[in-house]
Amino acid sequence: MRQRETGPQDGGAQGGGRLIGRSVPRREDPRLLTGRGRFVDDIALPGMLHAQFVRSTVAHGEITAIDLSAVRAVPGVVAAYTADDLRLGDITAELARPRAEFVPTPMPVLARDRVRYVGEPVALVVARDAYAAEDGIEAARIGYTVHPPVTGEETALADGAPLVHADAPRNTLVDVAPFATDGIDEVFTAADHVVGVDVRTGRQNALPLETRGAVAHWDDREEQLVLHTCSQVPHLVRTVASRCLGLDERAVRVVVPDMGGGFGLKCVVGREEIAAAAAALRLRRPVKWIEDRKDALTASFLAREQHYTARAAFDATGRILALDADVVCDTGAYSCYPFTAGIEPLMAAAEMPGVYKVPAYRVRGRAIATNKAPTAPYRGVSRPQYVMVMERLFERAARELDLDPVEIRRRNLITEFPYTGVNGITYDPGSYRESLDLCERTLRAEGWYERAHAARAEGRYLGIGYSCFSERTGYGSAAFAQRKMTLVPGFDLSEVRMDPSGAVTVTTGTMSHGQSHETTMAQIVADELGLELAKVKLHQGDTDRVPYGWGTFASRSIAIGGSAVRLAAGRLGDKLRTLAAARWDIPVEETALGHGEVHRRDAPTTALPYRDLAELAYHRAHLLPKGIEPGLTATAAFDVSNDGTFSNATHGTVVELHTDTGQVEILRYVCVEDCGVAINPRVVEGQCRGGIAQGIAGALFEQVTYDAQGEPSATSFMDYKVPTAHEIPDVAVHHLQTPCAFTETGAKGTGEGGTIGAPAAVLNAVNDALRPTGTELDDIPITPETVHRALHPRHYQESAR
């Protein structure tokens, strides 16, 4: 095991690669920064029509009538469809679990008979331009019998509550209790200290810069429906489209152009792109749908609304003895495809112990249905929440035991690897203790502890907070199968091909939506083959060009996709060496790759350039030695058979609470991360900073709420409070490297860590600042009003009289 601190330009990488470990400039930037990117909304095809959706205005009700006659009479409207018109199959996500643990929720592409949330698509309007489509929507007449909506956990689980789905008793879609250590109650009874927390987190929108969208058309020559869409999982979109439309998968081609963010929202299959594709198939004309921002805020997939009730037992020295938790996730009206409503409670239940040595563990995880827009994975998936729960438990125990909050963490962090936890997961080597130590040293060296002490003496409220966590990445098929998914993601495929000029094209089943795959995947291939970076081009996001892939989510791209890419590049290199060895009539072992050539080991100045070998393989195949086929192509697959790999980090932050407004100002933010070998450290830093910004957003600003009728509150950025550059501090990122032993590059994932650690660090810092008041907060987002109440309790007590 090797751990060391590296800087942004550090060249350290397994094998001493000349490109892996270097912060080479992003190859995407010249195109994207000069407006030459091509996104879904940039696509304009001859004869293209525009689609929008008539959406439900009630949260829960039966559809009694749909009258689209006035819609069809609107100038410019070409067609209008209901569910009965399109007759599409439902989108249904399944788990192979008994009904006591999981209830599936078939999601119609257009609502039939019943609506279950405000914004649910009821009808599709297709027009010659986007304005006519909007006019058509206004002309629709929908009749409803309105039922009482289920708007939250208390309503959903109450006796006699209305049911969102008739076959889901108590509105419970998932109910699992995977761990219950024998004798855990006795452990709590005998413990020196027991602390508890009751934590709620707000519902959020992933808010990618580019909203969802699709352009679909029928290709007569290929007998194929072509669907351009901004999806993280193009092959899964193809599967769902083919099933809903009754087509062979070969007859559906999904193409993803440049994509302006996804964050998990786009790693599930939505209804709207399927409906747009169905209209294009019927009309035999291109159809475009672009989600407007209001629909994106209210009717798209949401995330995060969770409630944790947890307690932990500690001995007199501050060592944790047991953890007991109940997790309730409000997952909205339907299960998302393919992950189901189980993704959040199953993630939380399986991984809550995290970086700490927890000897005894009991947990129950539930997903409940409500009359709200359904949820999808969002960067981190429950980990920001359960990490916050664990960190709050340790902070509370530190106060009760009068221990330094950093020291109590040190006493409980996993330090010997591999470590198999009480949750049955084996953790590969990481730098849990080292990252905490470096983060604390950094804040102390910068003088923040002295500043906080001085500020308190002046009556100001400064606080310092930490969070320690791991990010499980590289989920392989075995890990997903443990969730009992009937559609099991995991592996990735890659093809590396050299053309007659010696240039290389590589495919990956992952899908970049801002992670710099065009750069980092090329770095891997160029290093493996000894090529210039400019000689390597990545292709992704096209189901006809990429054999198969599960897309990008759960920080899997470099860990799994990058491993497949390196294996395929290595096999291509073997072919080049075999071809050169045959030309020289020497053993393959006496050849080596480098600088765009195959060299003889016994005579390094004797070499065959790749271009010459490629011309031989393609243009003069008659000269190829017996047994060597024409062309230069190699493929490879990669999967992880164990529990995956774990990146880790510690975040430390300093905040000041403004007494007059209750505003929380972040003065300093330090991130110490270990994602194994960093293929491109600057890209890693970008992922950290972007994730931290989203974590801060969840901690302090963003929340979607609903009124008693199930109407969403945040329909624009006037109501949905998104932080700007002014609210996000400069983030210092320090790198540690503990190479992964079972990925091909030594890399672990890094896409979600920033978001995972930020809420806990910010909340702990706020509570440290509030220490003189005796008040502690456990819920996020932390609003200025909440802080102001904590700072001025007498004012509010007098106002209430």
Side-chain angles (χ1 to χ4, degrees):
M1 180 177 70
R2 177 167 60 94
Q3 296 166 352
R4 62 190 185 88
E5 186 177 355
T6 64
Q9 299 297 330
D10 192 281
Q14 279 189 330
R18 63 187 183 91
L19 286 170
I20 289 178
R22 286 179 53 195
S23 294
V24 301
R26 287 190 358 133
R27 300 184 69 190
E28 299 90 334
D29 284 348
R31 179 180 80 253
L32 298 177
L33 295 179
T34 57
R36 291 183 285 114
R38 188 169 186 256
F39 299 86
V40 170
D41 200 22
D42 293 321
I43 298 172
L45 301 177
M48 188 170 70
L49 303 173
H50 295 259
Q52 279 299 341
F53 292 86
V54 178
R55 297 183 181 273
S56 173
T57 57
V58 302
H60 193 193
E62 295 175 26
I63 300 173
T64 58
I66 302 179
D67 184 357
L68 301 182
S69 58
V71 176
R72 297 183 178 107
V74 170
V77 169
V78 173
Y81 302 109
T82 66
D84 289 340
D85 296 325
L86 294 181
R87 298 187 179 277
L88 300 171
D90 293 342
I91 304 172
T92 306
E94 295 275 4
L95 294 177
R97 291 178 178 269
R99 280 301 178 96
E101 293 184 352
F102 174 72
V103 178
T105 56
M107 183 166 62
V109 175
L110 295 177
R112 291 190 306 268
D113 306 326
R114 181 179 290 269
V115 292
R116 293 183 169 90
Y117 62 94
V118 171
E120 182 164 12
V122 176
L124 174 65
V125 177
V126 184
R128 292 191 180 93
D129 58 55
Y131 302 102
E134 293 288 348
D135 291 342
I137 290 172
E138 295 296 324
R141 296 294 176 263
I142 316 294
Y144 301 100
T145 298
V146 179
H147 298 307
V150 177
T151 57
E153 175 189 348
E154 291 75 14
T155 308
L157 298 177
D159 292 336
L163 296 181
V164 179
H165 295 273
D167 52 355
R170 296 181 67 82
N171 292 302
T172 302
L173 304 182
V174 175
D175 191 345
V176 295
F179 303 103
T181 303
D182 290 341
I184 191 171
D185 288 324
E186 289 75 14
V187 175
F188 274 97
T189 299
D192 294 287
H193 299 276
V194 175
V195 296
V197 294
D198 190 285
V199 171
R200 295 177 186 269
T201 62
R203 200 174 194 84
Q204 283 186 262
N205 193 302
L207 213 69
L209 185 63
E210 179 194 25
T211 60
R212 297 181 301 153
V215 176
H217 72 276
W218 177 257
D219 186 327
D220 278 306
R221 183 176 184 273
E222 297 296 334
E223 296 181 331
Q224 194 175 50
L225 178 70
V226 181
L227 175 59
H228 290 81
T229 187
C230 44
S231 172
Q232 299 169 225
V233 287
H235 284 87
L236 290 181
V237 174
R238 182 182 71 178
T239 294
V240 172
S242 69
R243 292 177 181 177
C244 290
L245 296 169
L247 299 172
D248 293 335
E249 289 209 26
R250 182 218 63 79
V252 179
R253 179 185 182 189
V254 177
V255 181
V256 181
D258 290 321
M259 184 167 25
F263 311 119
L265 164 69
K266 297 175 184 176
C267 79
V268 299
V269 183
R271 308 154 89 167
E272 290 88 348
E273 55 259 48
I274 306 301
L281 190 62
R282 276 178 166 256
L283 297 168
R284 289 299 198 267
R285 290 181 64 179
V287 173
K288 174 188 279 190
W289 164 70
I290 299 296
E291 182 179 54
D292 66 26
R293 188 58 71 179
K294 178 182 177 182
D295 288 345
L297 285 168
T298 60
S300 189
F301 293 97
L302 302 176
R304 295 284 201 247
E305 189 171 2
Q306 300 183 7
H307 179 201
Y308 290 73
T309 307
R311 59 185 182 134
F314 289 84
D315 68 15
T317 69
R319 298 192 183 276
I320 191 169
L321 303 174
L323 171 66
D324 189 8
D326 184 81
V327 182
V328 179
C329 302
D330 184 336
T331 52
Y334 297 98
S335 273
C336 63
Y337 185 95
F339 301 102
T340 79
I343 185 167
E344 290 188 328
L346 292 175
M347 172 76 81
E351 301 184 16
M352 191 180 298
V355 295
Y356 298 109
K357 295 178 285 188
V358 177
Y361 181 41
R362 179 169 60 200
V363 64
R364 181 185 185 188
R366 285 173 286 174
I368 59 167
T370 57
N371 292 117
K372 302 173 184 175
T375 63
Y378 174 34
R379 202 172 191 174
V381 186
S382 287
R383 285 170 287 191
Q385 287 70 41
Y386 74 66
V387 165
M388 194 171 76
V389 169
M390 292 298 293
E391 296 300 286
R392 290 299 305 131
L393 287 169
F394 276 96
E395 289 279 324
R396 193 149 287 168
R399 292 194 182 192
E400 185 165 318
L401 276 71
D402 195 26
L403 288 173
D404 180 85
V406 174
E407 177 57 30
I408 196 172
R409 288 175 170 86
R410 285 197 184 99
R411 295 181 186 183
N412 289 280
L413 285 169
I414 301 166
T415 55
E416 296 180 1
F417 301 95
Y419 176 85
T420 300
V422 68
N423 52 359
I425 294 174
T426 298
Y427 299 77
D428 63 327
S431 55
Y432 301 172
R433 172 72 177 268
E434 294 81 359
S435 66
L436 175 62
D437 290 346
L438 179 55
C439 192
E440 184 195 27
R441 285 201 309 271
T442 301
L443 290 177
R444 286 191 181 278
E446 292 178 356
W448 286 107
Y449 278 80
E450 290 81 3
R451 293 186 211 182
H453 181 75
R456 288 167 186 161
E458 298 168 1
R460 294 163 56 211
Y461 295 89
L462 256 70
I464 299 172
Y466 294 90
S467 67
C468 300
F469 63 93
S470 61
E471 176 191 357
R472 188 181 185 186
T473 72
Y475 287 86
S477 302
F480 280 112
Q482 291 174 2
R483 296 183 182 178
K484 301 184 180 179
M485 295 177 66
T486 56
L487 187 149
V488 184
F491 67 86
D492 201 64
L493 300 173
S494 177
E495 177 185 82
V496 178
R497 173 176 298 170
M498 181 173 285
D499 66 26
S501 71
V504 169
T505 299
V506 57
T507 68
T508 177
T510 65
M511 184 63 236
S512 177
H513 43 285
Q515 297 94 330
S516 311
H517 289 183
E518 292 178 43
T519 303
T520 53
M521 295 292 188
Q523 286 179 259
I524 293 170
V525 173
D527 251 14
E528 187 67 20
L529 293 175
L531 270 175
E532 296 177 15
L533 195 64
K535 286 283 189 180
V536 183
K537 174 63 181 174
L538 177 72
H539 284 298
Q540 57 187 332
D542 186 335
T543 58
D544 271 13
R545 298 185 71 171
V546 178
Y548 199 81
W550 291 103
T552 290
F553 51 86
S555 300
R556 67 188 302 274
S557 293
I558 287 297
I560 292 182
S563 291
V565 163
R566 186 174 188 184
L567 284 172
R571 291 177 183 176
L572 179 62
D574 291 342
K575 289 189 176 184
L576 289 165
R577 293 173 60 214
T578 299
L579 189 53
R583 296 291 290 173
W584 289 322
D585 194 23
I586 62 173
V588 173
E589 293 76 17
E590 295 181 14
T591 65
L593 305 177
H595 305 290
E597 300 173 322
V598 180
H599 301 266
R600 290 187 62 146
R601 292 185 184 275
D602 60 349
T605 58
T606 302
L608 283 170
Y610 292 164
R611 175 189 286 271
D612 293 351
L613 293 171
E615 285 185 350
L616 175 65
Y618 287 101
H619 296 164
R620 291 178 286 160
H622 64 288
L623 298 179
L624 291 174
K626 186 177 180 180
I628 297 180
E629 296 180 351
L632 286 171
T633 301
T635 61
F638 183 82
D639 200 354
V640 176
S641 59
N642 55 20
D643 290 329
T645 184
F646 288 80
S647 297
N648 68 271
T650 296
H651 290 190
T653 188
V654 183
V655 305
E656 180 169 8
L657 311 182
H658 292 272
T659 56
D660 52 346
T661 64
Q663 191 85 18
V664 178
E665 181 184 359
I666 301 176
L667 304 178
R668 185 60 168 150
Y669 204 107
V670 175
C671 165
V672 180
E673 68 80 32
D674 186 343
C675 65
V677 172
I679 304 299
N680 187 311
R682 186 173 294 144
V683 168
V684 171
E685 291 180 15
Q687 290 291 301
C688 292
R689 291 191 173 99
I692 287 167
Q694 288 183 306
I696 291 172
L700 298 177
F701 299 100
E702 297 181 10
Q703 184 175 23
V704 177
T705 59
Y706 289 76
D707 66 17
Q709 287 72 46
E711 186 77 30
S713 62
T715 60
S716 73
F717 289 140
M718 292 291 290
D719 304 302
Y720 192 75
K721 295 177 175 58
V722 182
T724 68
H726 179 73
E727 286 81 27
I728 302 300
D730 182 38
V731 176
V733 180
H734 299 267
H735 303 277
L736 297 176
Q737 285 196 8
T738 308
C740 179
F742 47 84
T743 62
E744 291 297 316
T745 61
K748 306 175 182 181
T750 192
E752 300 175 286
T755 314
I756 293 169
V762 171
L763 179 59
N764 285 335
V766 169
N767 280 319
D768 187 48
L770 286 173
R771 188 186 293 260
T773 71
T775 299
E776 289 187 53
L777 307 178
D778 286 327
D779 298 343
I780 61 171
I782 307 164
T783 65
E785 180 185 0
T786 301
V787 173
H788 199 266
R789 283 179 176 274
L791 294 174
H792 305 283
R794 291 184 180 177
H795 169 78
Y796 288 92
Q797 290 168 2
E798 292 171 359
S799 299
R801 291 174 184 170

